[in-house]
Amino acid sequence: MILSKIFTSFTFRFLVSYVAWLSLAVFMVLALIYAFIAYDFFAEVHHSVTEELGSLSEAYQEGGESAVADFVKVHSGPDRLIRFFYFVGDEHLNKIAGNLEEWPDSEEYRDGWLGFNFESMLDDADSVGTEFIARSKQLPGGEHVLVARHYADVLNSTKLVAGALTRSMVATILLGTIGGTIVAALSLQRIDRINITLRRIMTGDLTERIDIHSSTGDFLRLSENVNQMLDRIEALMTGVRQVSDNIAHDLRTPLTRLRNKLSNLHENCADPNNRDEVEALIEEADGLLGTFSALLRIAQVESGNRRSGFASVDLCTLVSDVIELYEPLSAEKNQIFHTGLAKVGSFHGDRNLLFQAVANLVDNAIKYTPEGGKVQVNLAVEKNVLRIEVADSGIGIPEEDREKVFQRFFRVEHSRSRHPGNGLGLSLVQAVVKLHDGYIDLKDNKPGLRIVLRFPRTEVLS
Protein backbone atom coordinates (compact mmCIF):
# COMPACT_ATOMS: atom_id res chain seq x y z
CA MET A 1 0.00 0.00 0.00
CA ILE A 2 2.79 2.42 0.92
CA LEU A 3 4.83 1.49 -2.17
CA SER A 4 1.74 1.91 -4.32
CA LYS A 5 1.23 5.44 -2.94
CA ILE A 6 4.91 6.24 -3.56
CA PHE A 7 4.93 4.89 -7.13
CA THR A 8 1.71 6.74 -8.03
CA SER A 9 2.73 10.03 -6.43
CA PHE A 10 3.48 13.06 -8.61
CA THR A 11 6.97 13.45 -7.11
CA PHE A 12 7.98 9.88 -8.03
CA ARG A 13 6.53 10.15 -11.54
CA PHE A 14 8.28 13.49 -12.03
CA LEU A 15 11.62 12.09 -10.85
CA VAL A 16 11.23 8.97 -13.01
CA SER A 17 10.61 11.22 -15.99
CA TYR A 18 13.65 13.30 -15.01
CA VAL A 19 15.83 10.17 -14.63
CA ALA A 20 14.61 8.89 -18.01
CA TRP A 21 15.60 12.11 -19.78
CA LEU A 22 18.84 12.27 -17.78
CA SER A 23 19.61 8.66 -18.73
CA LEU A 24 18.97 9.48 -22.38
CA ALA A 25 21.34 12.44 -22.15
CA VAL A 26 23.95 10.31 -20.36
CA PHE A 27 23.54 7.60 -23.00
CA MET A 28 24.14 10.10 -25.80
CA VAL A 29 27.23 11.47 -24.04
CA LEU A 30 28.61 7.98 -23.34
CA ALA A 31 27.90 6.88 -26.92
CA LEU A 32 29.79 9.92 -28.17
CA ILE A 33 32.71 9.13 -25.84
CA TYR A 34 32.71 5.51 -27.03
CA ALA A 35 32.68 6.62 -30.67
CA PHE A 36 35.70 8.91 -30.12
CA ILE A 37 37.63 6.24 -28.21
CA ALA A 38 36.85 3.54 -30.80
CA TYR A 39 37.84 5.92 -33.60
CA ASP A 40 41.17 6.67 -31.87
CA PHE A 41 41.86 2.95 -31.37
CA PHE A 42 41.22 1.98 -34.98
CA ALA A 43 42.99 5.07 -36.32
CA GLU A 44 46.06 3.99 -34.36
CA VAL A 45 45.80 0.48 -35.87
CA HIS A 46 45.63 1.83 -39.41
CA HIS A 47 48.49 4.23 -38.78
CA SER A 48 50.75 1.54 -37.29
CA VAL A 49 50.08 -0.91 -40.16
CA THR A 50 50.75 1.79 -42.76
CA GLU A 51 54.01 2.76 -41.03
CA GLU A 52 55.17 -0.88 -40.77
CA LEU A 53 54.38 -1.46 -44.45
CA GLY A 54 56.53 1.46 -45.43
CA SER A 55 59.45 0.28 -43.25
CA LEU A 56 59.20 -3.32 -44.57
CA SER A 57 59.17 -2.13 -48.17
CA GLU A 58 62.22 0.06 -47.57
CA ALA A 59 64.11 -2.81 -45.85
CA TYR A 60 63.41 -5.24 -48.71
CA GLN A 61 64.43 -2.75 -51.38
CA GLU A 62 67.66 -1.99 -49.59
CA GLY A 63 68.74 -5.44 -48.33
CA GLY A 64 66.61 -8.11 -49.89
CA GLU A 65 65.59 -11.32 -48.09
CA SER A 66 68.21 -11.08 -45.34
CA ALA A 67 67.16 -7.55 -44.49
CA VAL A 68 63.51 -8.71 -44.29
CA ALA A 69 64.52 -11.59 -41.99
CA ASP A 70 66.34 -9.21 -39.66
CA PHE A 71 63.41 -6.78 -39.83
CA VAL A 72 60.92 -9.51 -38.95
CA LYS A 73 63.10 -10.78 -36.11
CA VAL A 74 63.29 -7.32 -34.56
CA HIS A 75 59.65 -6.23 -35.15
CA SER A 76 57.75 -9.42 -34.33
CA GLY A 77 59.54 -10.72 -31.26
CA PRO A 78 57.55 -12.02 -28.25
CA ASP A 79 58.64 -9.02 -26.22
CA ARG A 80 56.69 -6.67 -28.49
CA LEU A 81 53.37 -5.40 -27.10
CA ILE A 82 51.92 -5.37 -30.61
CA ARG A 83 52.87 -8.19 -33.00
CA PHE A 84 52.95 -7.65 -36.72
CA PHE A 85 53.06 -10.32 -39.41
CA TYR A 86 54.88 -9.88 -42.69
CA PHE A 87 54.88 -11.37 -46.14
CA VAL A 88 57.03 -10.60 -49.19
CA GLY A 89 56.13 -12.46 -52.38
CA ASP A 90 56.90 -12.38 -56.05
CA GLU A 91 54.53 -11.21 -58.70
CA HIS A 92 52.66 -14.56 -58.44
CA LEU A 93 52.36 -14.19 -54.63
CA ASN A 94 54.88 -16.96 -53.94
CA LYS A 95 56.71 -16.43 -50.65
CA ILE A 96 60.10 -14.78 -50.72
CA ALA A 97 60.42 -13.76 -47.06
CA GLY A 98 58.42 -13.04 -43.89
CA ASN A 99 56.76 -14.92 -41.06
CA LEU A 100 53.55 -15.69 -42.97
CA GLU A 101 53.62 -18.90 -45.04
CA GLU A 102 51.26 -17.73 -47.75
CA TRP A 103 49.26 -14.82 -49.00
CA PRO A 104 46.03 -14.52 -46.98
CA ASP A 105 42.85 -15.66 -48.66
CA SER A 106 40.91 -12.41 -48.58
CA GLU A 107 39.34 -9.89 -50.88
CA GLU A 108 40.87 -6.46 -51.06
CA TYR A 109 38.77 -3.62 -49.72
CA ARG A 110 40.40 -0.50 -51.10
CA ASP A 111 43.84 1.11 -51.18
CA GLY A 112 45.40 -2.28 -50.48
CA TRP A 113 43.53 -2.92 -47.21
CA LEU A 114 42.46 -6.48 -46.39
CA GLY A 115 40.66 -8.21 -43.53
CA PHE A 116 40.96 -11.92 -42.80
CA ASN A 117 41.02 -14.68 -40.21
CA PHE A 118 43.61 -17.42 -40.05
CA GLU A 119 45.16 -20.08 -37.80
CA SER A 120 48.68 -21.62 -37.80
CA MET A 121 49.81 -19.60 -40.76
CA LEU A 122 53.04 -18.56 -39.07
CA ASP A 123 56.30 -20.19 -39.97
CA ASP A 124 57.32 -20.30 -36.30
CA ALA A 125 54.34 -22.61 -35.55
CA ASP A 126 52.57 -19.93 -33.53
CA SER A 127 48.87 -20.65 -33.38
CA VAL A 128 46.74 -17.61 -33.88
CA GLY A 129 43.02 -17.53 -34.42
CA THR A 130 41.69 -14.03 -34.56
CA GLU A 131 40.65 -11.20 -36.80
CA PHE A 132 43.43 -9.48 -38.71
CA ILE A 133 43.71 -6.31 -40.65
CA ALA A 134 46.41 -5.98 -43.29
CA ARG A 135 47.65 -3.69 -45.99
CA SER A 136 49.65 -4.53 -49.09
CA LYS A 137 51.47 -2.76 -51.87
CA GLN A 138 53.30 -3.76 -55.02
CA LEU A 139 56.90 -2.67 -55.39
CA PRO A 140 58.36 -1.30 -58.64
CA GLY A 141 60.01 -4.68 -59.26
CA GLY A 142 56.65 -6.48 -59.18
CA GLU A 143 57.05 -7.96 -55.68
CA HIS A 144 54.08 -7.81 -53.25
CA VAL A 145 54.65 -6.67 -49.69
CA LEU A 146 52.04 -7.19 -46.92
CA VAL A 147 51.91 -6.26 -43.24
CA ALA A 148 49.17 -7.70 -41.00
CA ARG A 149 48.20 -7.00 -37.43
CA HIS A 150 45.57 -8.69 -35.28
CA TYR A 151 43.33 -6.23 -33.48
CA ALA A 152 42.05 -8.40 -30.63
CA ASP A 153 43.69 -5.96 -28.21
CA VAL A 154 41.75 -3.12 -29.79
CA LEU A 155 38.50 -5.08 -29.63
CA ASN A 156 39.17 -5.96 -25.99
CA SER A 157 39.89 -2.33 -25.20
CA THR A 158 36.72 -1.13 -26.91
CA LYS A 159 34.72 -3.86 -25.15
CA LEU A 160 36.22 -2.75 -21.85
CA VAL A 161 35.26 0.85 -22.55
CA ALA A 162 31.77 -0.20 -23.70
CA GLY A 163 31.33 -2.29 -20.55
CA ALA A 164 32.39 0.59 -18.32
CA LEU A 165 30.05 2.96 -20.13
CA THR A 166 27.15 0.46 -19.91
CA ARG A 167 27.72 -0.01 -16.19
CA SER A 168 27.76 3.76 -15.78
CA MET A 169 24.43 3.95 -17.62
CA VAL A 170 22.89 1.21 -15.45
CA ALA A 171 24.24 2.85 -12.29
CA THR A 172 22.72 6.18 -13.36
CA ILE A 173 19.29 4.58 -13.85
CA LEU A 174 19.41 2.53 -10.64
CA LEU A 175 20.70 5.35 -8.44
CA GLY A 176 18.25 7.79 -10.03
CA THR A 177 15.32 5.43 -9.43
CA ILE A 178 16.37 4.68 -5.84
CA GLY A 179 16.94 8.37 -5.18
CA GLY A 180 13.57 9.19 -6.74
CA THR A 181 11.85 6.61 -4.52
CA ILE A 182 13.47 8.01 -1.38
CA VAL A 183 12.69 11.63 -2.29
CA ALA A 184 9.11 10.68 -3.22
CA ALA A 185 8.67 8.82 0.08
CA LEU A 186 9.91 11.80 2.10
CA SER A 187 7.76 14.19 0.08
CA LEU A 188 4.73 11.91 0.43
CA GLN A 189 5.29 11.73 4.19
CA ARG A 190 5.22 15.51 4.44
CA ILE A 191 2.16 15.76 2.19
CA ASP A 192 0.36 13.10 4.26
CA ARG A 193 0.97 15.11 7.42
CA ILE A 194 -0.49 18.18 5.71
CA ASN A 195 -3.47 16.17 4.40
CA ILE A 196 -4.21 14.75 7.86
CA THR A 197 -4.27 18.26 9.31
CA LEU A 198 -6.45 19.54 6.46
CA ARG A 199 -8.91 16.65 6.93
CA ARG A 200 -9.25 17.60 10.60
CA ILE A 201 -9.91 21.17 9.56
CA MET A 202 -12.52 20.05 7.00
CA THR A 203 -14.40 18.17 9.72
CA GLY A 204 -14.94 21.51 11.46
CA ASP A 205 -11.93 22.00 13.73
CA LEU A 206 -10.66 25.33 12.41
CA THR A 207 -8.12 25.61 15.24
CA GLU A 208 -5.88 22.97 13.64
CA ARG A 209 -2.68 24.18 11.97
CA ILE A 210 0.04 22.56 9.88
CA ASP A 211 3.19 21.76 11.84
CA ILE A 212 6.03 23.92 10.50
CA HIS A 213 8.78 22.82 12.89
CA SER A 214 9.83 19.83 10.74
CA SER A 215 9.44 21.69 7.43
CA THR A 216 12.15 23.41 5.43
CA GLY A 217 12.45 25.29 2.16
CA ASP A 218 9.39 25.32 -0.08
CA PHE A 219 7.35 23.14 2.29
CA LEU A 220 7.99 25.63 5.10
CA ARG A 221 6.81 28.57 3.00
CA LEU A 222 3.79 26.59 1.78
CA SER A 223 2.85 25.58 5.34
CA GLU A 224 3.23 29.14 6.61
CA ASN A 225 1.01 30.50 3.82
CA VAL A 226 -1.64 27.81 4.42
CA ASN A 227 -1.60 28.54 8.16
CA GLN A 228 -2.02 32.26 7.52
CA MET A 229 -4.92 31.49 5.17
CA LEU A 230 -6.49 29.26 7.85
CA ASP A 231 -6.13 32.04 10.42
CA ARG A 232 -8.02 34.36 8.09
CA ILE A 233 -10.70 31.75 7.32
CA GLU A 234 -11.15 30.95 11.01
CA ALA A 235 -11.59 34.64 11.82
CA LEU A 236 -14.14 35.10 9.03
CA MET A 237 -16.04 31.89 9.84
CA THR A 238 -16.09 32.72 13.54
CA GLY A 239 -17.50 36.15 12.75
CA VAL A 240 -20.16 34.75 10.39
CA ARG A 241 -21.10 31.96 12.80
CA GLN A 242 -21.26 34.36 15.71
CA VAL A 243 -23.49 36.76 13.78
CA SER A 244 -25.83 33.96 12.62
CA ASP A 245 -25.92 32.39 16.08
CA ASN A 246 -26.62 35.75 17.70
CA ILE A 247 -29.40 36.44 15.21
CA ALA A 248 -30.91 32.99 15.77
CA HIS A 249 -30.69 33.34 19.56
CA ASP A 250 -31.91 36.93 19.65
CA LEU A 251 -34.85 36.27 17.34
CA ARG A 252 -35.78 32.96 18.88
CA THR A 253 -36.44 34.57 22.28
CA PRO A 254 -38.98 37.20 21.09
CA LEU A 255 -40.51 34.61 18.73
CA THR A 256 -40.99 32.26 21.65
CA ARG A 257 -42.66 35.04 23.66
CA LEU A 258 -44.80 35.92 20.66
CA ARG A 259 -45.80 32.29 20.23
CA ASN A 260 -46.73 31.98 23.91
CA LYS A 261 -48.85 35.16 23.75
CA LEU A 262 -50.57 33.89 20.62
CA SER A 263 -51.27 30.62 22.39
CA ASN A 264 -52.83 32.47 25.32
CA LEU A 265 -54.82 34.61 22.91
CA HIS A 266 -56.02 31.47 21.13
CA GLU A 267 -57.29 29.98 24.38
CA ASN A 268 -59.14 33.16 25.39
CA CYS A 269 -60.51 34.05 21.97
CA ALA A 270 -64.30 33.55 21.72
CA ASP A 271 -64.74 34.39 18.03
CA PRO A 272 -64.16 31.24 15.90
CA ASN A 273 -62.84 33.27 12.95
CA ASN A 274 -60.29 35.01 15.14
CA ARG A 275 -59.33 31.68 16.68
CA ASP A 276 -58.54 30.32 13.19
CA GLU A 277 -56.39 33.34 12.37
CA VAL A 278 -54.51 33.07 15.66
CA GLU A 279 -53.98 29.35 15.08
CA ALA A 280 -52.48 30.13 11.66
CA LEU A 281 -50.17 32.70 13.27
CA ILE A 282 -49.09 30.08 15.83
CA GLU A 283 -48.19 27.70 12.98
CA GLU A 284 -46.13 30.43 11.31
CA ALA A 285 -44.33 31.12 14.59
CA ASP A 286 -43.65 27.38 15.04
CA GLY A 287 -42.22 27.26 11.53
CA LEU A 288 -39.91 30.19 12.24
CA LEU A 289 -38.79 28.65 15.54
CA GLY A 290 -38.11 25.36 13.73
CA THR A 291 -36.01 27.18 11.15
CA PHE A 292 -33.90 28.92 13.78
CA SER A 293 -33.49 25.68 15.73
CA ALA A 294 -32.34 23.90 12.55
CA LEU A 295 -29.84 26.67 11.81
CA LEU A 296 -28.40 26.40 15.32
CA ARG A 297 -28.16 22.61 15.06
CA ILE A 298 -26.35 22.82 11.70
CA ALA A 299 -23.91 25.43 13.07
CA GLN A 300 -23.24 23.24 16.10
CA VAL A 301 -22.65 20.13 13.97
CA GLU A 302 -20.37 21.93 11.48
CA SER A 303 -18.27 23.32 14.32
CA GLY A 304 -17.12 19.75 15.11
CA ASN A 305 -17.81 20.14 18.82
CA ARG A 306 -20.28 17.25 18.76
CA ARG A 307 -17.41 14.75 18.30
CA SER A 308 -16.91 14.84 22.06
CA GLY A 309 -20.24 13.02 22.37
CA PHE A 310 -19.24 10.10 20.13
CA ALA A 311 -19.89 6.64 21.57
CA SER A 312 -20.69 3.12 20.41
CA VAL A 313 -23.97 3.12 18.44
CA ASP A 314 -25.93 0.08 17.28
CA LEU A 315 -27.00 1.23 13.83
CA CYS A 316 -29.44 -1.64 13.38
CA THR A 317 -31.33 -0.63 16.54
CA LEU A 318 -31.15 3.05 15.58
CA VAL A 319 -32.64 2.50 12.11
CA SER A 320 -35.26 0.17 13.60
CA ASP A 321 -36.33 2.94 16.01
CA VAL A 322 -36.68 5.38 13.11
CA ILE A 323 -38.77 2.87 11.16
CA GLU A 324 -40.99 2.20 14.19
CA LEU A 325 -41.55 5.95 14.57
CA TYR A 326 -42.46 6.65 10.93
CA GLU A 327 -44.10 3.43 9.79
CA PRO A 328 -47.57 4.50 11.10
CA LEU A 329 -47.29 7.74 9.12
CA SER A 330 -46.57 5.72 5.99
CA ALA A 331 -49.50 3.42 6.73
CA GLU A 332 -51.85 6.41 6.86
CA LYS A 333 -50.96 7.09 3.19
CA ASN A 334 -51.38 3.39 2.27
CA GLN A 335 -47.74 3.23 1.22
CA ILE A 336 -45.75 0.02 0.85
CA PHE A 337 -43.00 0.20 3.47
CA HIS A 338 -40.11 -2.24 2.88
CA THR A 339 -37.12 -2.66 5.19
CA GLY A 340 -33.92 -4.66 4.95
CA LEU A 341 -31.70 -4.42 8.00
CA ALA A 342 -28.44 -6.35 8.26
CA LYS A 343 -26.53 -6.94 11.48
CA VAL A 344 -23.65 -4.56 10.97
CA GLY A 345 -22.40 -4.33 14.54
CA SER A 346 -21.65 -1.18 16.45
CA PHE A 347 -20.53 2.16 15.05
CA HIS A 348 -18.62 5.00 16.69
CA GLY A 349 -20.70 8.16 16.42
CA ASP A 350 -23.30 10.49 17.88
CA ARG A 351 -26.60 8.58 18.22
CA ASN A 352 -28.85 11.63 18.45
CA LEU A 353 -27.43 13.25 15.32
CA LEU A 354 -27.52 10.01 13.36
CA PHE A 355 -31.13 9.47 14.44
CA GLN A 356 -32.05 13.00 13.28
CA ALA A 357 -30.35 12.44 9.91
CA VAL A 358 -32.03 9.09 9.17
CA ALA A 359 -35.37 10.34 10.49
CA ASN A 360 -35.15 13.37 8.22
CA LEU A 361 -34.57 11.16 5.16
CA VAL A 362 -37.43 8.78 6.04
CA ASP A 363 -39.76 11.70 6.76
CA ASN A 364 -38.96 13.27 3.37
CA ALA A 365 -39.44 9.93 1.60
CA ILE A 366 -42.91 9.51 3.12
CA LYS A 367 -43.80 13.17 2.58
CA TYR A 368 -42.88 13.26 -1.12
CA THR A 369 -44.28 9.81 -1.99
CA PRO A 370 -47.95 9.80 -3.03
CA GLU A 371 -50.55 7.49 -1.56
CA GLY A 372 -50.07 3.87 -2.57
CA GLY A 373 -46.39 4.53 -3.32
CA LYS A 374 -43.38 2.66 -2.06
CA VAL A 375 -40.78 3.55 0.58
CA GLN A 376 -37.75 1.38 1.28
CA VAL A 377 -35.14 1.59 4.06
CA ASN A 378 -32.03 -0.65 3.94
CA LEU A 379 -29.00 -1.10 6.18
CA ALA A 380 -26.09 -3.12 4.83
CA VAL A 381 -22.32 -3.50 5.00
CA GLU A 382 -19.97 -3.43 2.00
CA LYS A 383 -16.41 -4.46 2.90
CA ASN A 384 -15.34 -1.67 5.28
CA VAL A 385 -18.28 0.63 4.53
CA LEU A 386 -21.67 0.81 6.29
CA ARG A 387 -24.51 1.77 3.95
CA ILE A 388 -27.88 3.28 4.88
CA GLU A 389 -30.24 3.60 1.96
CA VAL A 390 -33.61 5.36 1.84
CA ALA A 391 -35.58 5.09 -1.43
CA ASP A 392 -39.03 6.21 -2.49
CA SER A 393 -41.27 6.29 -5.56
CA GLY A 394 -42.15 9.96 -5.22
CA ILE A 395 -41.51 13.00 -7.37
CA GLY A 396 -37.72 12.78 -7.03
CA ILE A 397 -35.16 15.54 -7.58
CA PRO A 398 -33.96 16.65 -11.04
CA GLU A 399 -30.35 15.77 -11.68
CA GLU A 400 -29.32 19.41 -12.10
CA ASP A 401 -30.66 20.21 -8.58
CA ARG A 402 -29.11 17.29 -6.68
CA GLU A 403 -26.07 19.25 -5.58
CA LYS A 404 -28.04 22.40 -4.83
CA VAL A 405 -30.41 20.73 -2.33
CA PHE A 406 -27.58 20.64 0.22
CA GLN A 407 -27.48 24.43 0.21
CA ARG A 408 -29.34 26.08 3.08
CA PHE A 409 -32.87 27.24 2.26
CA PHE A 410 -32.76 25.78 -1.27
CA ARG A 411 -35.94 24.00 -2.31
CA VAL A 412 -36.84 22.36 -5.61
CA GLU A 413 -39.44 24.42 -7.48
CA HIS A 414 -42.08 21.68 -7.77
CA SER A 415 -42.07 21.07 -4.00
CA ARG A 416 -42.37 24.68 -2.81
CA SER A 417 -46.10 24.95 -3.28
CA ARG A 418 -46.98 21.36 -2.37
CA HIS A 419 -45.10 20.75 0.86
CA PRO A 420 -44.14 23.13 3.65
CA GLY A 421 -40.53 23.31 4.76
CA ASN A 422 -37.50 25.52 5.20
CA GLY A 423 -34.92 23.84 2.96
CA LEU A 424 -32.61 22.94 5.85
CA GLY A 425 -33.29 19.22 6.21
CA LEU A 426 -30.68 17.89 3.74
CA SER A 427 -28.19 20.55 4.88
CA LEU A 428 -28.44 19.07 8.37
CA VAL A 429 -28.11 15.52 7.02
CA GLN A 430 -24.99 16.44 5.05
CA ALA A 431 -23.45 18.12 8.11
CA VAL A 432 -24.07 14.99 10.22
CA VAL A 433 -22.66 12.70 7.52
CA LYS A 434 -19.50 14.81 7.16
CA LEU A 435 -19.08 14.89 10.93
CA HIS A 436 -18.90 11.06 10.81
CA ASP A 437 -16.44 11.11 7.84
CA GLY A 438 -19.14 9.70 5.55
CA TYR A 439 -20.53 10.43 2.11
CA ILE A 440 -24.04 11.10 0.80
CA ASP A 441 -25.24 10.32 -2.73
CA LEU A 442 -28.52 11.21 -4.42
CA LYS A 443 -29.57 8.84 -7.23
CA ASP A 444 -32.53 8.34 -9.50
CA ASN A 445 -34.81 5.55 -8.25
CA LYS A 446 -36.90 5.47 -11.47
CA PRO A 447 -39.31 6.78 -10.25
CA GLY A 448 -38.43 8.68 -7.12
CA LEU A 449 -35.23 9.31 -5.26
CA ARG A 450 -32.70 7.00 -3.64
CA ILE A 451 -30.41 8.51 -0.99
CA VAL A 452 -27.36 6.50 0.08
CA LEU A 453 -25.29 7.28 3.17
CA ARG A 454 -21.89 5.61 3.46
CA PHE A 455 -19.83 5.54 6.65
CA PRO A 456 -16.43 3.93 7.27
CA ARG A 457 -16.57 1.06 9.74
CA THR A 458 -14.97 2.18 12.98
CA GLU A 459 -15.46 -1.00 14.97
CA VAL A 460 -15.10 -4.64 14.06
CA LEU A 461 -18.24 -6.75 13.86
CA SER A 462 -18.49 -8.85 16.98
Side-chain angles (χ1 to χ4, degrees):
M1 183 64 180
I2 296 177
L3 289 178
S4 175
K5 289 179 64 178
I6 292 175
F7 293 152
T8 56
S9 66
F10 170 78
T11 303
F12 181 80
R13 288 185 282 113
F14 172 78
L15 289 174
V16 166
S17 176
Y18 172 77
V19 170
W21 285 104
L22 177 64
S23 300
L24 179 62
V26 170
F27 173 77
M28 294 178 65
V29 172
L30 295 181
L32 191 62
I33 293 174
Y34 174 78
F36 279 124
I37 293 176
Y39 175 81
D40 289 342
F41 275 140
F42 285 100
E44 189 276 330
V45 170
H46 283 217
H47 176 73
S48 63
V49 170
T50 302
E51 192 175 65
E52 286 291 312
L53 181 63
S55 299
L56 178 63
S57 300
E58 185 178 346
Y60 177 73
Q61 289 176 327
E62 290 181 356
E65 294 182 29
S66 59
V68 172
D70 292 337
F71 183 88
V72 171
K73 186 177 181 180
V74 172
H75 287 255
S76 64
D79 57 332
R80 294 290 297 263
L81 294 177
I82 302 175
R83 294 193 62 187
F84 291 92
F85 304 97
Y86 310 95
F87 183 89
V88 179
D90 59 19
E91 57 184 2
H92 301 294
L93 300 181
N94 296 316
K95 181 178 178 180
I96 297 175
N99 56 358
L100 288 177
E101 289 297 321
E102 59 186 28
W103 189 268
D105 183 14
S106 174
E107 295 183 1
E108 183 174 330
Y109 297 149
R110 60 182 178 84
D111 297 332
W113 287 101
L114 303 94
F116 59 91
N117 182 287
F118 70 90
E119 291 191 17
S120 302
M121 292 181 65
L122 307 182
D123 57 4
D124 57 357
D126 285 345
S127 178
V128 178
T130 186
E131 294 289 334
F132 278 74
I133 188 170
R135 191 175 187 183
S136 66
K137 65 184 291 188
Q138 190 172 11
L139 300 179
E143 297 89 349
H144 292 272
V145 182
L146 179 142
V147 174
R149 171 186 170 176
H150 66 79
Y151 54 93
D153 57 331
V154 176
L155 292 177
N156 290 335
S157 298
T158 54
K159 288 179 181 178
L160 182 63
V161 172
L165 298 183
T166 302
R167 287 190 290 273
S168 300
M169 182 74 177
V170 173
T172 300
I173 295 174
L174 287 178
L175 292 177
T177 304
I178 293 172
T181 304
I182 295 174
V183 171
L186 294 175
S187 176
L188 190 62
Q189 189 178 24
R190 292 178 176 179
I191 293 174
D192 280 344
R193 286 200 297 266
I194 295 175
N195 283 331
I196 290 172
T197 302
L198 293 179
R199 277 195 293 270
R200 291 173 183 166
I201 295 170
M202 286 188 294
T203 58
D205 187 3
L206 295 179
T207 60
E208 282 282 347
R209 293 294 181 270
I210 298 173
D211 182 19
I212 63 174
H213 297 93
S214 58
S215 301
T216 57
D218 294 336
F219 275 98
L220 176 61
R221 288 189 290 273
L222 174 63
S223 300
E224 289 176 341
N225 290 335
V226 171
N227 284 342
Q228 291 176 6
M229 180 185 68
L230 291 172
D231 290 337
R232 180 63 175 162
I233 292 175
E234 183 185 14
L236 293 174
M237 290 299 296
T238 301
V240 171
R241 186 179 295 119
Q242 187 173 5
V243 169
S244 61
D245 290 351
N246 289 341
I247 291 174
H249 280 291
D250 293 343
L251 291 181
R252 190 169 60 171
T253 300
L255 275 174
T256 303
R257 289 198 297 266
L258 176 62
R259 200 265 182 202
N260 292 335
K261 290 182 180 180
L262 287 172
S263 180
N264 293 331
L265 182 61
H266 180 268
E267 293 176 359
N268 299 323
C269 186
D271 189 344
N273 293 329
N274 291 336
R275 287 175 64 89
D276 292 340
E277 291 183 6
V278 172
E279 188 173 349
L281 292 174
I282 291 174
E283 290 180 1
E284 292 288 342
D286 287 339
L288 290 172
L289 286 171
T291 299
F292 287 124
S293 296
L295 283 172
L296 291 174
R297 282 200 303 273
I298 294 173
Q300 187 180 27
V301 172
E302 290 180 341
S303 68
N305 296 331
R306 292 297 293 265
R307 283 181 175 270
S308 59
F310 276 24
S312 181
V313 179
D314 188 336
L315 281 182
C316 187
T317 302
L318 183 144
V319 177
S320 297
D321 291 342
V322 174
I323 293 172
E324 184 179 352
L325 178 64
Y326 282 93
E327 199 166 13
L329 181 61
S330 177
E332 290 180 4
K333 299 181 67 175
N334 297 318
Q335 295 172 344
I336 302 172
F337 202 97
H338 282 302
T339 61
L341 306 182
K343 295 290 185 181
V344 298
S346 57
F347 176 74
H348 190 65
D350 189 307
R351 190 184 191 284
N352 292 332
L353 291 178
L354 290 169
F355 187 92
Q356 289 179 34
V358 177
N360 192 303
L361 297 181
V362 176
D363 180 69
N364 283 345
I366 296 173
K367 181 192 302 182
Y368 293 107
T369 300
E371 290 193 10
K374 181 179 177 181
V375 176
Q376 185 166 356
V377 180
N378 294 325
L379 172 64
V381 59
E382 299 174 345
K383 295 183 179 179
N384 292 324
V385 176
L386 302 176
R387 190 184 80 243
I388 300 175
E389 183 176 295
V390 179
D392 62 65
S393 59
I395 56 178
I397 297 177
E399 186 174 356
E400 61 271 15
D401 291 333
R402 289 177 190 166
E403 290 297 325
K404 299 177 183 177
V405 294
F406 296 114
Q407 301 173 8
R408 298 179 188 181
F409 300 110
F410 179 84
R411 301 193 68 201
V412 180
E413 287 298 328
H414 60 64
S415 67
R416 286 182 178 273
S417 59
R418 299 183 185 180
H419 305 280
N422 51 30
L424 295 173
L426 287 178
S427 299
L428 176 62
V429 173
Q430 186 186 50
V432 173
V433 171
K434 285 186 176 181
L435 181 68
H436 291 82
D437 299 325
Y439 301 91
I440 180 170
D441 291 325
L442 304 184
K443 300 180 180 179
D444 191 358
N445 198 40
K446 297 180 181 180
L449 181 68
R450 185 168 75 255
I451 301 180
V452 181
L453 309 183
R454 290 184 175 88
F455 300 98
R457 296 187 69 180
T458 52
E459 294 187 17
V460 180
L461 180 62
S462 56

